[in-house]
Amino acid sequence: MAHWHDGPAVLRIGADPGVAPREVPREVACEVPLEIAASYRARTRGLLGRDGIAGAMLLTPAASVHTFGMRFAIDVAHLDRGLRVLSVVTMRPGRIGLPRPRARHILEAVAGSMAGWGLVAGAVVEVDLSGRLTGG
């Protein structure tokens, strides 16, 4: 298990959803700037008070989110410990998301972004921290 810390990273979304990155070599379909929110303070703040985000935010550990105080709709992906996408939903401001069983991380982005990246349930993502790939 990785030790997560607040800060920038790169989210890599593979070309072959559902295939673990170390099982079969694959081309990277998309690289997205990522902010990691691992501390209590960073997770609590999240995207509140912002008008948008360039890329995505990873909340870890987290199993659910809310959009009270948000200024824009967001896509929310629930990830398991292995960074496999369990579900992807779009939430409007002022909503409460139900906790997702087996979710360990939450990925947030501006509404519509995840569809554009090809991020779907079953896909496995990679997080590059300072040039070093890690798992969840």
Side-chain angles (χ1 to χ4, degrees), residues 55-75:
M57 177 174 278
L58 180 71
L59 305 173
T60 182
S64 67
V65 294
H66 69 82
T67 57
F68 290 111
M70 298 282 293
R71 298 179 182 166
F72 56 98
I74 60 172
D75 284 342

Side-chain angles (χ1 to χ4, degrees), residues 1-110:
M1 180 167 106
H3 295 283
W4 298 95
H5 301 283
D6 295 345
V10 175
L11 178 70
R12 293 194 176 125
I13 302 164
D16 299 320
V19 178
R22 289 167 190 85
E23 290 177 8
V24 177
R26 63 182 180 184
E27 295 179 22
V28 173
C30 189
E31 287 191 355
V32 178
L34 182 68
E35 292 181 43
I36 297 174
S39 69
Y40 176 77
R41 183 176 185 179
R43 287 192 319 268
T44 301
R45 173 95 172 137
L47 297 175
L48 294 176
R50 296 189 190 194
D51 292 322
I53 183 171
M57 177 174 278
L58 180 71
L59 305 173
T60 182
S64 67
V65 294
H66 69 82
T67 57
F68 290 111
M70 298 282 293
R71 298 179 182 166
F72 56 98
I74 60 172
D75 284 342
V76 176
H78 297 88
L79 309 175
D80 67 9
R81 288 182 183 270
L83 300 180
R84 181 177 304 274
V85 178
L86 301 172
S87 66
V88 178
V89 297
T90 300
M91 294 178 64
R92 296 184 318 213
R95 303 287 183 224
I96 296 176
L98 295 174
R100 173 73 191 209
R102 296 187 355 254
R104 177 69 177 164
H105 315 283
I106 300 282
L107 191 62
E108 297 179 337
V110 174

